[in-house]
Amino acid sequence: VAEQRRDAIKAEIGALGGPPPGALEIAVAVRAEQPTRLELEVAYQLRGARWQPVYEVRLDTQSSRIALRQEAIVTQQTGEDWSDVALTLSTARPADASGPPRLQPWRIALVDPAEIARRAREQAMRDAAADRQQATRGAAPPASVAAPAPVVAREAEVVAASVQTAGFAVEYVIPGATSVAADGADRRVRIADISGEATMSALAIPRLAPRAFLRARFAHAAPAPTLPGTASLHLDGVFVGRTALPLLRPGEETTLAFGADDRIRVAYEPQARRRAQEGSLLTGRTSTEAFEAVMTLRSFHARPVEVTVEDQVPVSGDADLTVTLQADPAPTARDVEDRPGVLAWTFALAPGQERRIRLGYTVTAPRDRQVQGLSGR
């Protein structure tokens, strides 16, 4: 009886014309001692599905608060539409290596400079021969260019999400039913809205740009790390640009720039260079060249604002080439962020207040030697 029933089912499947091309077939062997009912749950993996994080950061200068909206763009071309599915996004990366890279032995050796020169001459001769051969063949016909496919505009759909942590990975569970077509179109989903206090300040580099830039520093208040992604920046409700948001861990502080601060006036006035020669036949003759600039900042804010000004002096790698710094006031930090020669002044600028910084340096070198790198600076 069972064989007759199986043959009847096969006949029904054959009458239906079989599964469509590209369809997924799953065969399950079931053996039961008596008639029964059972439920089967099938899990499988398909290529062609991905998601990427995107962010929206809004800074309110009146309340000194920052709001971070975390979203995801989901696309899939698996060959089957996802209709009313329970969607979960995971930060796990199974395609990446599960272990750290391995260091290999680092070997060095002595070589003959003459041998290096000989190999360079041989390589130059081979390159020249290849160029002559290519020239005799003539120019290749231009390749055909296919017309780009038309872009279909789609309105983004937005829903809210919840966050779950599973070990070191994070899973974002999208509530309700979600549908994502298999045509590769973007589907936007909401993951989280995070807000917190922000510390605002301004950074000016007068030598390079006669303006100050508003910055906001805040601690990441999410319960789990957020992946790197592109963030759109909004200042008091106005879109000011985009930036790359780094990997943020819970409680980690980061600083974002929100464009030019037009309420701080910045001026940079280079002074005339001064050259001199001194010394004697016994001590040796030297030449000196002095540089000086005046940086002026004035605040038109209604309340005090912290300002950092950066500039730089040249750095010498020669014992006979010295650089002497003259600064009024003295910088509050040197070699900022491990950048040799970069100086910084940090101070509070009151409403209507003006601050001047005078920076000078003198370069001293032997008279018979030429200093490279000073021109145009």
Side-chain angles (χ1 to χ4, degrees):
V1 178
E3 293 181 357
Q4 293 177 357
R5 180 57 178 166
R6 183 185 59 186
D7 294 339
I9 293 175
K10 288 184 177 181
E12 292 178 4
I13 296 177
L16 295 175
L24 179 66
E25 294 187 18
I26 300 176
V28 180
V30 179
R31 181 177 180 179
E33 299 296 337
Q34 59 185 3
T36 184
R37 296 180 61 87
L38 73 158
E39 294 183 0
L40 298 178
E41 181 178 334
V42 178
Y44 56 95
Q45 294 183 347
L46 293 175
R47 296 182 179 272
R50 69 184 185 93
W51 73 276
Q52 60 180 358
V54 290
Y55 303 93
E56 182 180 279
V57 184
R58 294 182 176 271
L59 175 63
D60 187 343
T61 59
Q62 296 300 319
S63 62
S64 297
R65 292 191 65 84
I66 198 163
L68 173 65
R69 172 168 294 175
Q70 184 182 5
E71 298 180 321
I73 295 179
V74 182
T75 59
Q76 64 102 353
Q77 293 176 299
T78 62
E80 58 183 52
D81 293 336
W82 299 347
S83 300
D84 296 333
V85 298
L87 182 63
T88 300
L89 308 177
S90 174
T91 62
R93 296 179 287 272
D96 293 350
S98 59
R102 183 179 178 83
L103 288 172
Q104 300 297 330
W106 183 0
R107 305 185 187 281
I108 62 175
L110 295 175
V111 295
D112 185 359
E115 178 66 16
I116 297 178
R118 183 186 65 80
R119 294 180 181 178
R121 290 193 300 268
E122 292 178 353
Q123 184 62 43
M125 294 175 62
R126 288 193 294 267
D127 293 342
D131 293 341
R132 290 192 299 269
Q133 185 177 6
Q134 181 66 26
T136 57
R137 294 177 180 176
S144 59
V145 179
V151 178
V152 180
R154 295 176 180 268
E155 184 178 357
E157 300 179 55
V158 179
V159 295
S162 60
V163 182
Q164 295 181 354
T165 56
F168 289 103
V170 180
E171 291 184 346
Y172 304 111
V173 181
I174 310 303
T178 306
S179 296
V180 183
D183 56 1
D186 293 346
R187 170 70 189 272
R188 185 180 292 256
V189 295
R190 182 82 52 83
I191 293 178
D193 285 299
I194 307 164
S195 63
E197 297 288 337
T199 302
M200 294 184 296
S201 63
L203 172 64
I205 309 177
R207 177 190 292 270
L208 302 180
R211 61 180 64 90
F213 294 86
L214 178 64
R215 302 188 301 174
R217 186 172 185 84
F218 62 96
H220 189 44
T226 56
L227 298 177
T230 301
S232 60
L233 303 175
H234 299 260
L235 178 62
D236 293 330
V238 179
F239 173 73
V240 294
R242 291 184 173 86
T243 189
L245 197 69
L247 173 68
L248 296 180
R249 301 164 183 86
E252 184 177 13
E253 290 192 340
T254 188
T255 301
L256 298 179
F258 283 82
D261 187 342
D262 296 328
R263 297 190 179 186
I264 298 178
R265 187 176 65 192
V266 180
Y268 183 80
E269 303 175 20
Q271 309 298 303
R273 294 186 179 185
R274 300 189 304 273
R275 295 181 174 87
Q277 295 181 359
E278 57 185 16
S280 64
L281 294 177
L282 295 179
T283 60
R285 294 185 178 274
T286 61
S287 62
T288 61
E289 190 167 4
F291 305 80
E292 190 176 58
V294 177
M295 297 170 283
T296 307
L297 292 91
R298 184 179 180 87
S299 173
F300 293 88
H301 280 278
R303 55 185 177 181
V305 59
E306 181 182 279
V307 178
T308 298
V309 180
E310 288 187 0
D311 207 328
Q312 64 181 150
V313 295
V315 178
S316 171
D318 194 317
D320 295 331
L321 179 63
T322 61
V323 179
T324 305
L325 172 67
Q326 304 95 29
D328 183 23
T332 56
R334 301 193 181 197
D335 298 339
V336 178
E337 297 175 350
D338 296 327
R339 293 176 292 171
V342 177
L343 312 173
W345 294 260
T346 300
F347 49 86
L349 199 59
Q353 184 183 7
E354 182 176 280
R355 291 288 299 266
R356 279 175 163 251
I357 300 174
R358 184 177 294 272
L359 173 64
Y361 56 91
T362 303
V363 179
T364 304
R367 182 179 177 182
D368 58 347
R369 303 282 295 277
Q370 183 178 1
V371 181
Q372 294 181 341
L374 285 178
S375 60
R377 301 300 296 271

